[in-house]
Structures are given as structure tokens and as C-alpha cells.
Amino acid sequence: MESKNRLGYCEVCNSDAAKYCCPRCEVKTCSLSCVNIHKKELDCDGKKYKTGFKKLEKFNDNDMSQDYRLMNEFIEAVGEFKMKTQRISNLSAVFRRLRYQAYQRHIRLQILPKSTLNKNNTSFFNPKVNKIFWRIDWTFHGTDVKYTNHKVPEYQKLNSIARNYFTTEFHDDEVKEKMQFYVSAGIRGVIFLMKTPYGKYYELDSEDTISYSLRSKTILEYPEILVVLSIHKDAFSDLLYVENSTFNNNKSKIM
């Protein structure tokens, strides 16, 4: 009776109480059979309008979450489009080589010629040893402390690169005070979050090498890693990004 009172009768057969409401056209139906009839007759796919207008007084937290997801889908799509359509002729020989070698390692590397990030990018590929050497930026959450590593070989593990940052001897007196909680927690008491071009973060395993950490991920110019105390991990739960690990093996998109 509750379902009947709330939705009324099925708008397809008009005989039974409605149980479902189409997210797209809001037609009320009572069964799968009636759902399929309404889809066929109204040419409706049953998918909610992502950009439909909704009055402010009816806007709720669920609508906000849907808009946020839609915004991130747009950001991701634009980023992928820029990567696929980026002309290789706009890149210097160094970055053409770097981008191709990253692609060979299943890393989606986006290069922005003439940008500030690009000017700061000291990453390169060394053909003599067949290895990529990365620039890595480290930012410590809750502080203004930032460090940069240059010429970091791709086979090096993240924890070995960052280990010095968790010792008091490494920092001067001013920075030492800012880093006291990180030094106290140690490298096992933090998480590493790498920026995506989409406003979110990939969570990295500190035991992995750089090459493995970047595999099947999209990065802009070079890795930028946010170091967060493990006790604050929950604050970033909505900002963690899980990307499809299937890498498109179509080299023409890179070329």
C-alpha cells in the first residue's frame, strides 16, 4: 500500500501499483515488462540526465556528489583529449623521447610545452642505460615544507628516496620544528599520494619502485607527491582516484 500511495498506478498497464520510477523520464512502472515497454515506446534509455536543471530548494547532498563526479569526468575527458591530440612536433627532442619511453612503460605522460611545469621538468631518458631519470616534488601535508629530487632513476624505491626526510639530521632548525610529527611517525606512519591531472590523487605503495608506481597512471610533466600522516588518511578518502589499468596499446595516439 505504501508503494501504491507513493507512486500511484503503473503508467504503462494502469492496473498494478507502480514500484519503479524511471530516473530519466519519471514514468512509473510496476514490472520489468512494463519498464521495457516504456523504454521502447518513449525511446528512453533509463539513464538520469546528468545536466538536468534542479531547483536549489530541491538540491541535496546526493545531487552535489553526482555533480562532483560529473565535473571530474569532464576534467578527465579533457585531459585525455589533450594528450591524444597533442602534436609531437610541439615537443623538444628530449621530451619526445621521454614521452615515448614513458608510453613504453605504460605511463601516460602529459607534456605542456612552454608551461611553467614544463620549464621546471628536469626528467629525461638516458638511452645509454635505457632508463628514465625523474624529477620528483615532495610536499608535506599541513606544512609549507617542499623538497625536490632530480635525476632519480626509475628503478629506485619510493621509500629509499624519501627516507632522509624523516630524519632530524636532514633538516635545518626552522624546518625541523615543522617536520617533527613526520619525523616522529617515520616513513611507515605516512602515505604517499601522487597528483593526477584531474584534481585527485593516486595512493602509492612506498615499497614500489618509481617505474612500477607510475605504471597505468596519468601524470602531468613529473610526479608530484603529497606526503600525509596515516592518521589523516580518511580526510583524503573522497580524493583518491582509481584509474582503469587497461592501457590502450595504440601507438598512433602517442605519435
Side-chain angles (χ1 to χ4, degrees), residues 127-146:
K128 292 183 179 180
V129 294
N130 193 33
K131 294 288 184 290
I132 293 178
F133 292 81
W134 292 99
R135 169 189 170 131
I136 301 179
D137 282 1
W138 305 85
T139 301
F140 290 81
H141 176 249
T143 76
D144 59 357
V145 178
K146 296 182 179 181

Side-chain angles (χ1 to χ4, degrees), residues 218-236:
T218 304
I219 60 173
L220 185 61
E221 293 289 348
Y222 50 84
E224 296 181 82
I225 298 176
L226 178 66
V227 184
V228 179
L229 293 168
S230 296
I231 58 174
H232 296 151
K233 180 178 179 179
D234 289 346
F236 290 84

